[in-house]
Amino acid sequence: MFWFTLCAMTHYALGCPQWQDPSWNTLLPPGATPLARYSRVFGCVEGNTTFYATPTREQCAQWRSQVPDDFRFLFKFPREISHDRLLTGSETAVREFLATLEPLADVLGPFLLQLPPNFGPEQLDNLWRFVDALPAPLTCAVEVRHPAFFEKGDAEKALNRGLRERNLARVCFDTRALFTATPESEATWEAQSRKPRLPIHLLPVDAPPVVRYIGHPDLESNRPFLAPWAERVSEWIAEGRHPYIFMHMPDNGDALALAALWHELLGERVPELADLAINTEPPQIGLF
């Protein structure tokens, strides 16, 4: 039987878009594998890997052995399902995908259903058929990118109504800080060319909120963009909402620094938060 439980988070779950980067080697605590080291600091991770390729059951079993029971993977549905087929004719692909992930069943958070810009109002019935067919108690958080879903018109009302009826979170992907940056580096230019530039629309539901934030490459420039989120997330925590918060940077090597800054800002409003076990001190250079 395929099942999952919600993360037993004390307050909220913080994560990054992946669990390893060469720049993190001196920043994370020791551990047998990159995932084990990452999961000693963070409570969740975006499963971007499954958007491009599905792992084997053996890989999933190995991942499960490397994380604590309260860690959560938020895997993306494969690109073939969400982008190529626009959620149609994918029953077999979904069934095989879920069967592969079964070794991770007890550490799965909601799946991330990221939909492409060409998934518009005329495809909403595809979305409802897809999520309604997911085997209970599996669920997902839905990210849309078609402009019509941000215009507060009939299309957005229909989307939000359907999500509320099913108690599904609408993912907030905040790219505002990113697009205030001058694209002086290749990483920033690439991020601006690939990420959507859309408003932030929140949808109150009982499901755990999901926020994906991609920052300005200059760390301190993120403070005014993160401050309102810190206020909002502190309110969610006080309400017992248990949000998932993911920190991205144009250069993923900078994501841990952004996560540390974010956690610091949130800790000013939620002082009982434990510190992140990230080494923020620069490595010492030897004399010889």
Side-chain angles (χ1 to χ4, degrees), residues 69 90 97 207:
D69 293 345
S90 58
F97 177 62

Side-chain angles (χ1 to χ4, degrees), residues 106-158:
D106 66 318
V107 287
L108 290 179
F111 284 90
L112 296 176
L113 182 55
Q114 180 181 303
L115 299 173
N118 63 328
F119 191 101
E122 62 275 13
Q123 278 85 36
L124 273 182
D125 286 343
N126 297 357
L127 174 59
W128 308 138
R129 283 191 292 268
F130 181 86
V131 297
D132 290 344
L134 289 176
L138 295 182
T139 187
C140 61
V142 179
E143 181 181 323
V144 292
R145 296 189 174 185
H146 192 288
F149 294 132
F150 296 85
E151 296 174 349
K152 300 182 180 181
D154 291 342
E156 183 168 14
K157 292 176 182 177

Side-chain angles (χ1 to χ4, degrees), residues 63-202:
W63 292 343
R64 178 61 188 94
S65 70
Q66 297 169 27
V67 300
D69 293 345
D70 60 355
F71 187 83
R72 290 296 177 265
F73 293 90
L74 276 69
F75 285 111
K76 288 184 179 179
F77 280 103
R79 180 185 183 91
E80 173 193 4
I81 294 170
S82 60
H83 286 53
D84 298 343
R85 299 186 181 185
L86 298 181
L87 306 184
T88 63
S90 58
E91 293 81 3
T92 299
V94 171
R95 186 164 55 250
E96 292 175 349
F97 177 62
L98 297 181
T100 298
L101 298 183
E102 192 167 2
L104 291 161
D106 66 318
V107 287
L108 290 179
F111 284 90
L112 296 176
L113 182 55
Q114 180 181 303
L115 299 173
N118 63 328
F119 191 101
E122 62 275 13
Q123 278 85 36
L124 273 182
D125 286 343
N126 297 357
L127 174 59
W128 308 138
R129 283 191 292 268
F130 181 86
V131 297
D132 290 344
L134 289 176
L138 295 182
T139 187
C140 61
V142 179
E143 181 181 323
V144 292
R145 296 189 174 185
H146 192 288
F149 294 132
F150 296 85
E151 296 174 349
K152 300 182 180 181
D154 291 342
E156 183 168 14
K157 292 176 182 177
L159 169 69
N160 290 346
R161 181 169 60 249
L163 294 175
R164 285 197 192 96
E165 290 171 353
R166 294 162 175 83
N167 194 32
L168 299 179
R170 177 173 175 173
V171 176
C172 295
F173 191 21
D174 188 352
T175 62
R176 293 174 295 179
L178 170 67
F179 283 103
T180 64
T182 301
E184 297 176 343
S185 70
E186 182 178 352
T188 301
W189 179 87
E190 183 177 358
Q192 291 180 343
S193 65
R194 296 179 59 184
K195 304 302 183 185
R197 190 172 189 174
L198 294 165
I200 303 302
H201 287 191
L202 295 173

Side-chain angles (χ1 to χ4, degrees), residues 284-288:
Q284 292 185 356
I285 300 176
L287 297 177
F288 302 99

